[in-house]
Amino acid sequence: MATITPNTAAGALKKRFDKYVAILQAADLATEDELAPLYPLLKRIGKIREGRGWIPFIIIAQNPRLTPTELMAKVIFHGKHGVNHLNERKLTITGSVPHGNYLMVNVEDGRAMMGYKPCIASEHFRHDKRSGGYVGEGILTVICEPHILSHHYMDFPGSRYGGDEIPCLDVRRGRPDLSSSHLENAHIRFGPLSCGQRLGLHA
């Protein structure tokens, strides 16, 4: 069971921050200079949840030049690049996110609610004052933590596809794959991505 502890591990958070910056820079998603201003936001994280599936934060590099198809090509699993099967024009975000680059904080990678219908998971998130991850956040989470796909696949309940479907990321024929599933569908190997907070540099 996850526990909540005060954020006193500044060194560990700094090490994680540097790791993600290096990954995003190597993937040509952002430069170190573009992401460095996010570092002071680590002091605002406060309490963090611990346990399997919990990640203190993920750096979300918002690059308007990159489409979901191009982002998926940056997802590498066992040497194979990801592919997108969705019409990008039908993808929407249900809530609001900070402008520019930001930190997605107290991330749960979906394993805590594997097998839940996305619509039911979203109700739990509202009750717990959490937010479902949207498709861009999900892709970036897997880019930063590709080992997640070895354990389970993810739904992105912060996004919609064509109104009543949820984008999801799995592995097909050994390759990361972005597709969609109906809000009412439950899959035992899928879990919904969520976060407790989003910290940005701009209001």
Side-chain angles (χ1 to χ4, degrees):
M1 183 175 181
T3 59
I4 301 177
T5 60
N7 175 15
T8 56
L13 292 182
K14 173 64 163 58
K15 184 177 180 180
R16 183 180 292 270
F17 185 88
D18 291 344
K19 169 190 168 183
Y20 291 159
V21 168
I23 290 172
L24 295 173
Q25 185 168 255
D28 199 27
L29 292 172
T31 67
E32 183 176 357
D33 288 343
E34 289 170 335
L35 299 177
L38 296 175
Y39 176 68
L41 296 179
L42 296 180
K43 296 180 180 179
R44 293 173 50 193
I45 290 179
K47 295 180 180 180
I48 57 176
R49 290 180 178 265
E50 298 177 337
R52 291 184 178 179
W54 290 95
I55 306 168
F57 67 90
I58 293 289
I59 296 177
I60 304 301
Q62 295 202 98
N63 187 334
R65 300 187 305 274
L66 291 177
T67 65
T69 296
E70 292 169 317
L71 271 180
M72 278 300 297
K74 309 285 186 179
V75 178
I76 303 174
F77 185 68
H78 294 330
K80 292 188 176 182
H81 293 260
V83 294
N84 170 39
H85 294 288
L86 302 180
N87 182 336
E88 295 160 356
R89 295 181 180 180
K90 294 183 179 181
L91 284 168
T92 57
I93 299 175
T94 60
S96 61
V97 298
H99 177 71
N101 302 325
Y102 63 93
L103 300 182
M104 187 184 184
V105 176
N106 271 323
V107 177
E108 203 288 307
D109 69 11
R111 73 185 67 197
M113 300 184 74
M114 287 175 62
Y116 277 66
K117 294 180 180 180
C119 58
I120 299 299
S122 294
E123 289 297 324
H124 282 274
F125 295 152
R126 279 190 284 272
H127 179 269
D128 296 338
K129 297 182 179 179
R130 295 180 59 78
S131 301
Y134 83 91
V135 65
E137 292 174 334
I139 296 173
L140 285 162
T141 296
V142 174
I143 289 173
C144 289
E145 300 286 351
H147 62 88
I148 292 172
L149 294 178
S150 296
H151 182 269
H152 66 282
Y153 308 140
M154 288 194 293
D155 297 314
F156 306 135
S159 287
R160 293 290 184 273
Y161 181 66
D164 57 0
E165 295 193 1
I166 295 286
C168 54
L169 203 163
D170 63 358
V171 176
R172 299 183 187 182
R173 294 183 288 277
R175 187 181 300 278
D177 184 281
L178 183 66
S179 58
S180 67
S181 181
H182 196 274
L183 277 165
E184 296 287 343
N185 288 348
H187 301 281
I188 192 63
R189 289 209 63 186
F190 286 76
L193 178 70
S194 68
C195 69
Q197 189 179 16
R198 294 178 175 96
L199 296 177
L201 295 170
H202 311 284

